[in-house]
Amino acid sequence: MRTKDVRVGETYRCEVPFALPWRRYRPETMGDSWLPLSWLRGSYFPLTVVDVDTAARTAQSLVMGASARVTVELTEDQAQEAGLPPGGRYQVSGILLDAEGEPVELPRINSLTVPLRWLHPVDTPVSPSHHDASIRGIR
């Protein structure tokens, strides 16, 4: 889409291309979004714009997802009880399971920076080469 057509607060369909050349989609422009977007190559998903960078021609957005992965920071008492050296900041990461041992998915809000050219009105036809990212549970 053109920069002047993208509106903050609107939801668009984002179609991630199959190729993400490093020279074109540099970290200076894409920030931390390059890695998650590399997992979404060839897919589309809804995206709500929260800010537009007209100079870089990118949109900052929020995308809702879910994950069973959690990270908990240990207190000093917990670290000491586990026999860890004092003074360190320790974290435990893993999968949250319910009483039956099944993963529990928690909602997550992720921010993404995407080029404006990837955005399309939601009521326009999807490119036939792209697949819905939610089908594979990617987002």
Side-chain angles (χ1 to χ4, degrees), residues 3 8 28-29 49 51-60 113-114 116:
T3 305
V8 171
E28 301 88 57
T29 305
V49 175
D51 193 19
V52 176
D53 183 342
T54 55
R57 302 202 64 227
T58 59
Q60 290 74 40
T113 301
V114 300
L116 295 176

Side-chain angles (χ1 to χ4, degrees), residues 38-136:
S38 69
W39 298 329
L40 292 166
R41 289 179 294 175
S43 68
Y44 66 89
F45 54 91
L47 174 142
T48 302
V49 175
V50 296
D51 193 19
V52 176
D53 183 342
T54 55
R57 302 202 64 227
T58 59
Q60 290 74 40
S61 61
L62 298 177
V63 178
M64 186 72 162
S67 174
R69 186 149 183 83
V70 293
T71 300
V72 178
E73 192 164 322
L74 297 179
T75 65
E76 280 291 325
D77 292 340
Q78 291 169 328
Q80 184 179 12
E81 196 171 313
L84 299 169
R89 293 184 61 192
Y90 299 99
Q91 295 180 342
V92 176
S93 292
I95 303 294
L96 179 63
L97 304 174
D98 64 14
E100 286 80 38
E102 295 296 317
V104 176
E105 289 204 338
L106 301 173
R108 298 266 195 252
I109 295 179
N110 301 311
S111 63
L112 287 176
T113 301
V114 300
L116 295 176
R117 77 171 121 239
W118 294 2
L119 302 181
H120 304 275
V122 291
D123 59 352
T124 58
V126 177
S127 298
S129 59
H130 284 66
H131 63 273
D132 186 350
S134 64
I135 291 173
R136 292 190 9 207

